[in-house]
Each structure stands twice: as C-alpha cells, then as structure tokens.
Amino acid sequence: MDRPASVGELTAILRQGGYLADRGLATALYVALELDRPVLLEGEVGVGKTEAAKALAAVFGRQLIRLQCYEGIDTSQALYEWDYARQMLHIRALSERQVADEQAVEKLFGPRFLLERPLLAAIRAGDRAVLLIDEVDRADDEFEAFLLELLSDFQISIPEVGTVRAERPPLVVLTSNRTRELHDALKRRCLYHWIGYPPPDTETEIVLTRAPGVSEALTRKVVAAVNRLRELDLAKPPGVAETIDWARTLDVLGATELTPDTAADTLGAVVKERDDMDLVRDSLEEITSGG
Ligand SMILES: Nc1ncnc2c1ncn2[C@@H]1O[C@H](COP(=O)(O)OP(=O)(O)OP(=O)(O)O)[C@@H](O)[C@H]1O
Ligand SMILES: [Mg+2]
C-alpha cells in the first residue's frame, strides 16, 4: 500500500502494525502524507513520538532513515562527507603507479569516495523512505537553519558531484522533547502535533499490544498506578514505555496483583530518579489502590 484513503484507514493500518494513534495524531500523519509536508511531533517523554515514524515506515514498506540529533551535529554527519581515509589510500596507490593525472585527481571527489549520511540517503530515496529527524531540539541553531533549507526544497548541491534532488520528498517526521523552543520558521514549515499521555483505556491497549501475555486485569492496575504517579510532582514522570516495562516486570516475576509490596519491589521499572523514588515510596498504598 502506498497511501491510505482516509484518516480512518491510516488509523486501522497503524493499529495492525501495533501502533495506536488517536484521531489527532492520525489526522496530522495523514495530511503529512497527502500534502508532502513534514510533521513535527512534540510531547512528553516516552509517549510514542519516535515509534510513530517507525510504525509508518513499517506499515507502508518504506525504508526508515533516522537522523539522531545531538549537540554539535553538523552537515558532515547529517548529509555527507568525503571518505578521507580511502582518498589517501587511493592517492598513495596512484603515486606508486605514477599516474596522478588530472582525471585521477578529479575522481577523488566522485561518487566512489562520497560517504552518504542520513539526509543525503533520504533525498535519494525520496518517497520510498520515512525520514525520522529525532530529537531535533538537541541540535543547535545553525543546524536547524540548515534543516529548514533542506526541508523546503529537498535538493542539495554537492560542488564536486552535482545536484541531487528528490522527485517526491520522503515523509519527514521530526520529534522534539522541548528541551528548547524551536524556531518559528521551522515550525511554520511543519504540521504540528502534541502527543500527550494516552487515556487509560488506550494505554491499556498499547501495553497489551506491546506485551502480549500480560493479563488485562494486571495491566489495568498498572495503568491506573502510573496515572497516579503522573499526578505526583516527579522530576521524571513515567511515559508509556515505563508502563510497558512495569507490566512486563511484574509479569516476569509471576505477580498477578499490584500490591504496595510488589510495587515496592519493582519500582525501578517505572521510577528512574532517586528523589522521585523517595517521594513515591511514601505513597505506595495510595498509588496501588483501586484501578
Ligand atoms: N501509541 C502507541 N502505540 C504503540 N506503542 C506505543 C505507543 N506509544 C508508545 N508506545 C510504546 O512506547 C515505547 C516508547 O515510545 P517512543 O520511544 O516512541 O517514545 P518517545 O515519545 O520517542 O520518547 P522519548 O521522548 O523518550 O524519545 C515504544 O517503544 C512503544 O513500544
Ligand atoms: Mg524518541
């Protein structure tokens, strides 16, 4: 399948692929596909931003090309660079054979010595790929400006090689954890969707999809407890990923109930900060009650 016929169809396809998207997210992704627009997903930690791109690639049989952003990332790591080591070896071979003519030198900056990085790979793959630009908020301003340019025309000119252009752009999914505000210009180019914590029923379904075999009753208790944890003032509130981990952990230990004791034994699956741990330990009774 190439493109879904409706938002409903996209939702259904993603669900078959194990990803549950609510109406708002499915709409944003559908429009992104239809209009060839990048989509920016922001949200809490571990709510399925990265997974959305992976799921899209999987269900449409597209190649997933991932650019993980970090502080100091630059174009040579993101776009392309020259294979310096191979160029040197080649030069040495040439000089041994004493054939360092003009053409041989030209070839040093030809396709053979070009190292393709994710963005160049994505331009070349065009709409056969999903380009995931993950955690773009970690990259710095200059890189964001460069991305903006790239996203507007999907074309890049490599002086020694020529212009590379995507016939149809890849589907681009950018994610951000909001460690800093992104520029308006970048946001304007993108469709935007905020992914919040899913409602309990949905989260239960996600856990059951991702951790088949865990009982539904236990899963509901875990989801209820996680939702209480999110109401506490934790430094690192648990995401969906933690809910899944907690359910799996309890299951592997053979627990069928979430009691203050079983919760205390397994808190490390869901609370990952020492101060948070202290806070949570004081209210385990309340957190595990009901659900
Ligand atoms: N809607 C969903 N449907 C199915 N699985 C989900 C969904 N949301 C989250 N998950 C599960 O939660 C895990 C974490 O999701 P993901 O890594 O995409 O979070 P994230 O938002 O990118 O988090 P981070 O901010 O830490 O990068 C996924 O591996 C997946 O198993
Ligand atoms: Mg992520």
Side-chain angles (χ1 to χ4, degrees):
M1 151 126 19
D2 214 30
R3 267 151 215 274
S6 65
V7 174
E9 189 176 85
L10 178 59
T11 310
I13 296 168
L14 286 171
R15 172 180 287 264
Q16 275 169 26
Y19 188 83
L20 272 63
D22 65 13
R23 182 92 195 158
L25 175 58
T27 305
L29 298 176
Y30 177 76
V31 175
L33 276 165
E34 282 296 303
L35 299 184
D36 288 333
R37 287 278 297 277
V39 59
L40 169 63
L41 302 179
E42 281 193 333
E44 310 289 348
V45 170
V47 290
K49 301 183 294 296
T50 302
E51 194 69 24
K54 291 187 186 168
L56 281 167
V59 299
F60 292 116
R62 291 187 182 207
Q63 181 190 358
L64 178 75
I65 298 175
R66 179 175 188 164
L67 177 68
Q68 175 64 53
C69 297
Y70 50 88
E71 214 184 309
I73 187 173
D74 65 23
T75 52
S76 65
Q77 292 125 18
L79 193 55
Y80 71 86
E81 66 185 321
W82 293 105
D83 192 340
Y84 185 67
R86 279 193 62 205
Q87 283 172 327
M88 291 320 271
L89 286 173
H90 194 67
I91 291 171
R92 191 182 297 166
L94 288 178
S95 67
E96 272 164 18
R97 283 183 281 134
Q98 302 196 328
V99 285
D101 59 66
E102 191 73 13
Q103 260 196 340
V105 175
E106 292 268 286
K107 273 194 198 143
L108 279 175
F109 291 94
R112 261 180 77 190
F113 297 98
L114 191 66
L115 285 177
E116 187 179 84
R117 300 291 183 223
L119 293 178
L120 180 58
I123 294 172
R124 282 183 169 156
D127 67 357
R128 286 171 284 121
V130 172
L131 171 61
L132 166 62
I133 302 179
D134 215 9
E135 308 186 348
V136 64
D137 51 327
R138 293 186 187 212
D140 27 41
D141 283 8
E142 301 88 76
F143 189 73
E144 205 180 307
F146 157 77
L147 269 183
L148 186 67
E149 205 175 308
L150 185 101
L151 293 180
S152 60
D153 43 5
F154 268 96
Q155 159 173 323
I156 119 106
S157 57
I158 304 172
E160 301 87 347
V161 175
T163 300
V164 188
R165 191 164 171 277
E167 279 308 312
R168 284 205 74 170
L171 173 63
V172 184
V173 178
L174 299 104
T175 80
S176 160
N177 281 359
R178 285 189 64 100
T179 57
R180 71 174 173 85
E181 192 71 39
L182 301 175
H183 285 263
D184 283 349
L186 183 72
K187 283 190 174 166
R188 263 203 311 271
R189 279 232 40 91
C190 301
L191 300 162
Y192 178 86
H193 185 74
W194 171 269
I195 308 188
Y197 296 121
D201 282 347
T202 311
E203 191 161 6
T204 302
E205 212 181 325
I206 294 174
V207 175
L208 293 174
T209 313
R210 295 281 158 167
V214 180
S215 89
E216 185 175 335
L218 178 64
T219 301
R220 285 197 182 281
K221 297 238 164 68
V222 169
V223 168
V226 167
N227 275 282
R228 288 206 188 91
L229 289 174
R230 288 176 188 150
E231 284 163 16
L232 300 179
D233 200 17
L234 300 184
K236 292 226 159 56
V240 179
E242 281 74 28
T243 315
I244 299 170
D245 279 348
W246 203 8
R248 277 213 182 106
T249 303
L250 288 161
D251 186 61
V252 104
L253 295 173
T256 52
E257 280 294 323
L258 187 63
T259 62
D261 284 342
T262 52
D265 291 344
T266 53
L267 262 191
V270 72
V271 179
K272 313 270 170 96
E273 283 278 321
R274 185 171 171 191
D275 292 345
D276 288 353
M277 204 63 113
D278 293 342
L279 199 75
V280 172
R281 279 197 197 285
D282 292 337
S283 39
L284 276 180
E285 194 77 47
E286 204 183 311
I287 286 161
T288 55
S289 67

